[in-house]
Amino acid sequence: MTERKRPTSFDVAQAAGVSRSAVSRAFTPGATINEKTRERVLEAAAKIGYRVNALARNLQSQDSQLVAVLASRMDSPFRSKQVKLICNALIHAGYRPLLLTAEDTTDLGTLLSSMLDYCLSGMIVTSDSPPAAIIEECAALHVPVVLINRNPDLAGGDRVQIDTIQAGKLAFDMLRNAGVQRFAALIPEDKTYSVAGRVLAFQDAAHQAGASCLLIPTASQRYADGRR
C-alpha cells in the first residue's frame, strides 16, 4: 500500500493561487490578510485535506503549548480524577496536556528528559519525585515545574502540598471521636512522601493520646494489597 503524502502549505498555496506567506497569514490568528484571500486559502486547504502542523509551528516559536503531566497508579480513583481535573484545566487555559504514565520509577529521569526535546511549556509531576538533575535542567530551559505532594527536600519547582501532619491527626480524631479504642494503619513498602507522612502522623497522634497504633506493611498502595 502506497502511503498517502500529507498536503503541505506549498500545496495549498499552489491550489489557491497565492504565496506561501499568504497561506501562513491565513492560518495565523490576528495576521493581516485580505478576507477574500483568506477565504480562498481556507477553501483550498479544505479541498486538499491540509491541516496546520501546530507542533512544528509552535516549536519554531519555542512555545509548544504542551504540558507534560506525569502520573502513576491510574487505577486509583483519586489519581484518575486528579489527572482528569488537571488536564481539563490545562485545555481550558489553552494548553495541550501530554500524559505520561510511569509505574517503573527507574525510567523516570530518562522519560522526563526526553520530553524536554519538545520545548515544553510546563511540567506537572503528580507521582514520584523527579531526579534533581531534571529540575535543574527545567530551570535552565525556563520550563515551569509543579510538584504535587512530592518530597519537600527536593529543591526547585513550585509545589502543591497536602498538610500530612494535619491529615493524619484529623483521621485519628475522627476515629477516636467515633469511639474507636484500637488503632492500626497500613503503610506500603513503596513509601511516598504524602502516604507515609499521613500514616506516621496518624500513629504519632495516637501515641500523643496515650493509645497504641499498629503499623501493618503492605506490598504496595494498591487496593488489592490493602485488602489482603
Side-chain angles (χ1 to χ4, degrees):
M1 180 182 293
T2 302
E3 184 177 351
R4 182 176 179 271
K5 181 182 177 182
R6 178 172 178 169
T8 67
S9 58
F10 289 103
D11 298 324
V12 178
Q14 186 175 23
V18 300
S19 65
R20 184 165 175 254
S21 62
V23 174
S24 178
R25 291 196 302 275
F27 285 97
T28 302
T32 302
I33 184 173
N34 180 276
E35 186 60 28
K36 289 185 178 180
T37 301
R38 178 178 177 276
E39 291 177 357
R40 190 161 72 248
V41 169
L42 296 181
E43 183 179 346
K47 185 175 181 179
I48 67 174
Y50 170 77
R51 297 278 296 182
V52 174
N53 189 332
L55 180 59
R57 170 181 286 185
N58 290 335
L59 288 178
Q60 290 178 352
S61 67
Q62 298 296 302
D63 182 11
S64 67
Q65 296 179 317
L66 292 173
V67 175
V69 179
L70 177 70
S72 65
R73 305 183 182 92
M74 291 295 291
D75 56 337
S76 163
F78 170 79
R79 179 72 72 218
S80 59
K81 185 173 183 179
Q82 180 189 53
V83 169
K84 175 184 176 181
L85 292 174
I86 288 173
C87 291
N88 286 345
L90 287 171
I91 293 171
H92 184 72
Y95 294 98
R96 297 175 177 86
L98 182 63
L99 179 60
L100 308 172
T101 58
E103 301 301 332
D104 186 353
T105 58
T106 59
D107 297 330
L108 183 60
T110 302
L111 180 62
L112 291 178
S113 182
S114 68
M115 289 299 99
L116 293 175
D117 295 338
Y118 294 89
C119 297
L120 292 178
S121 296
M123 183 183 297
I124 299 175
V125 180
T126 73
S127 301
D128 301 305
S129 297
I134 296 297
I135 300 297
E136 294 173 1
E137 189 174 3
C138 287
L141 295 173
H142 304 289
V143 176
V145 180
V146 176
L147 306 175
I148 301 179
N149 289 334
R150 298 301 96 203
N151 191 334
D153 293 335
L154 181 66
D158 294 313
R159 296 171 185 279
V160 179
Q161 297 283 115
I162 187 175
D163 186 337
T164 55
I165 296 177
Q166 181 69 357
K169 185 178 183 304
L170 286 173
F172 172 78
D173 289 344
M174 179 186 69
L175 295 175
R176 186 61 176 262
N177 293 336
V180 175
Q181 298 297 320
R182 300 171 61 195
F183 300 91
L186 303 181
I187 184 163
E189 293 179 1
D190 56 337
K191 297 180 179 64
T192 62
Y193 164 75
S194 59
V195 173
R198 290 195 300 270
V199 171
L200 296 178
F202 179 86
Q203 183 187 49
D204 186 60
H207 289 167
Q208 290 186 25
S212 62
C213 177
L214 176 65
L215 293 187
I216 304 173
T218 64
S220 73
Q221 297 182 31
R222 298 182 183 277
Y223 285 108
D225 289 322
R227 290 180 64 87
R228 280 194 289 269

